[in-house]
Amino acid sequence: MSSLQDQLSNLVYSTDGGRVKQEKPEMEITPSDGFAHVRRETKGRKGKGVVTITGLGLDAKALKVLAKKLKQTCGTGGTVVGEIIEIQGDKRDVIKTVLEKNGFKVKFIGG
């Protein structure tokens, strides 16, 4: 019976273990190539422009802190999706200055 319980990943009820929480897999951080890639995208966003920043090589907590600083500086909204920071609008020049102040080299990709 215990081997059956080992095979089940979603335990519904147990009297001897207390709360059973699913373990979250640790997200691997993609190493940076030394450049922050800044790209303007509109595809899949109903024509609205978004600037995406990739290749930073930071963990999730540091990405959120940097995204918050970028959003406050640009005066727009944004989010962190995986390892990508998305900032609304076309504020590439402002984003470049903030990233360079934080020690990143910036490379524009696309138009």
Side-chain angles (χ1 to χ4, degrees):
M1 183 94 168
S2 65
S3 65
L4 178 62
Q5 287 178 349
D6 292 338
Q7 293 174 357
L8 298 177
S9 62
N10 294 330
L11 184 64
V12 177
Y13 179 77
S14 176
T15 57
D16 55 88
R19 288 189 178 229
V20 178
K21 292 185 179 181
Q22 295 287 339
E23 292 183 19
K24 294 182 180 178
E26 191 68 28
M27 191 171 105
E28 285 191 25
I29 301 169
T30 307
S32 176
D33 63 347
F35 289 96
H37 302 282
V38 178
R39 172 182 304 147
R40 184 174 178 275
E41 294 182 1
T42 57
K43 187 174 181 180
R45 294 179 170 86
K46 298 181 183 178
K48 305 286 183 180
V50 173
V51 176
T52 60
I53 303 144
T54 58
L56 297 173
L58 299 174
D59 63 336
K61 192 171 187 177
L63 279 174
K64 288 183 182 181
V65 170
L66 182 60
K68 183 176 181 179
K69 185 181 293 186
L70 287 169
K71 291 189 296 184
Q72 288 175 345
T73 305
C74 294
T76 60
T79 186
V80 177
V81 178
E83 294 183 357
I84 301 171
I85 297 176
E86 294 181 353
I87 303 294
Q88 295 175 354
D90 188 9
K91 307 275 186 174
R92 288 180 283 188
D93 51 345
V94 176
I95 290 171
K96 179 181 179 183
T97 57
V98 172
L99 289 174
E100 287 176 344
K101 285 181 183 177
N102 286 316
F104 293 102
K105 297 177 187 174
V106 178
K107 184 183 285 188
F108 290 122
I109 297 182

